[in-house]
Amino acid sequence: MKPADVCIAVLVAVIWGLAFVASRIALNEFSPELMTTLRFAIAALPCLFVARPKVSWMVLVSISFTLFLGQFLAQAFAIAHGVPVGLSSVIVQSQALFTIGFAALLFRERPGAWQTVGIGIATVGLLMICGTVGYDFSVGAFAILMISPLSFAAGNLLLRRAADVPMFDLFAWLCLVAAVPLVALTLVSNGPQPTWHALTHMSLTGLMCMIGLGGVSTSIAYWLWGRLLRDYPAAQVVPFALLVPFVGSAASSVVFGETFGPLRLAGMVTVVGGIAVMLLSKRPKDSEDPKALEKQVLPKIA
């Protein structure tokens, strides 16, 4: 990769890692529903200038409700209910494990030997983390968080049905499709008056967090990542996603003073190690076709 593109890949990973911290700060003044709505409403603004990609509404809705709505709404609820930010950034990355598993179950795509090893390692790490649940956050919050990587994995596979369209246009419209039901959900669950009050009394910090989450993390970062996947083999690009949980955990430690007990820390490192084995395992087809976006395990954005 060109040095400039390496810098872009690192920058995207840093943006996605810091987005977990921005989400936690934004949740201090917004409900999970409203924060997720604002995120996608901002990210959907390019729809004013780009045409709807040539995919059916059914495909758009199915991808949007899994890759975006389900993933980020579950993430927001879990963080709002006490799941630590650094731990969340690691758990969401386990989508790589579930994507490979779902592909094997549904499409009979057998993982390679090293991918199988990686799945085993990551599974052990998740079980170690499960052993720490119930102390500083509830089992229910952890269960909600697990919806995020599961939804993300389903969305990864559904993206195969829209692999030949411009990624920037696609992601903008995916955000719009997610924002519409989220508006209704917010008004029903929060009520019109509390929602209006939260919007009209938004602090500068809250506004900056939402611009960062919607405009930078969701819109610009995804566009940059899509360009890298277009120009280079995925084997060169995707491993940079491993930086996301490290950035998220480090930033959470600095900003919130988050600490990890020995078992949880060991579990987090084990999960990331298993993901590294999966992503770095040799996949000849990927290296031959840099445009094979539909075959990739896309990284998590926050």
Side-chain angles (χ1 to χ4, degrees), residues 129-217:
I129 292 172
C130 287
T132 70
V133 173
Y135 293 95
D136 52 345
F137 60 91
S138 68
V139 174
F142 183 74
I144 291 174
L145 178 61
M146 288 304 301
I147 295 174
S148 184
L150 289 168
S151 294
F152 194 6
N156 281 339
L157 298 180
L158 289 168
L159 265 176
R160 298 179 176 195
R161 303 178 64 184
D164 298 325
V165 300
M167 287 295 103
F168 183 81
D169 300 5
L170 175 64
F171 287 128
W173 279 83
L174 290 175
C175 290
L176 178 62
V177 171
V180 173
L182 281 169
V183 170
L185 175 63
T186 301
L187 292 175
V188 171
S189 60
N190 296 352
Q193 287 188 334
T195 299
W196 178 251
H197 183 272
L199 292 174
T200 54
H201 291 77
M202 183 187 308
S203 69
L204 179 59
T205 299
L207 176 61
M208 295 304 295
C209 284
M210 294 316 309
I211 292 175
L213 288 171
V216 180
S217 176

Side-chain angles (χ1 to χ4, degrees), residues 9 13 22 36 39 61 72 76 128 131-132 137 153 174 185 204 207 210 212 217 229 254 260 300:
T36 311
R39 175 183 197 142
V61 170
F72 288 107
M128 294 168 69
T132 70
F137 60 91
L174 290 175
L185 175 63
L204 179 59
L207 176 61
M210 294 316 309
S217 176
L229 285 173
V254 172
F260 311 100
K300 162 68 187 61

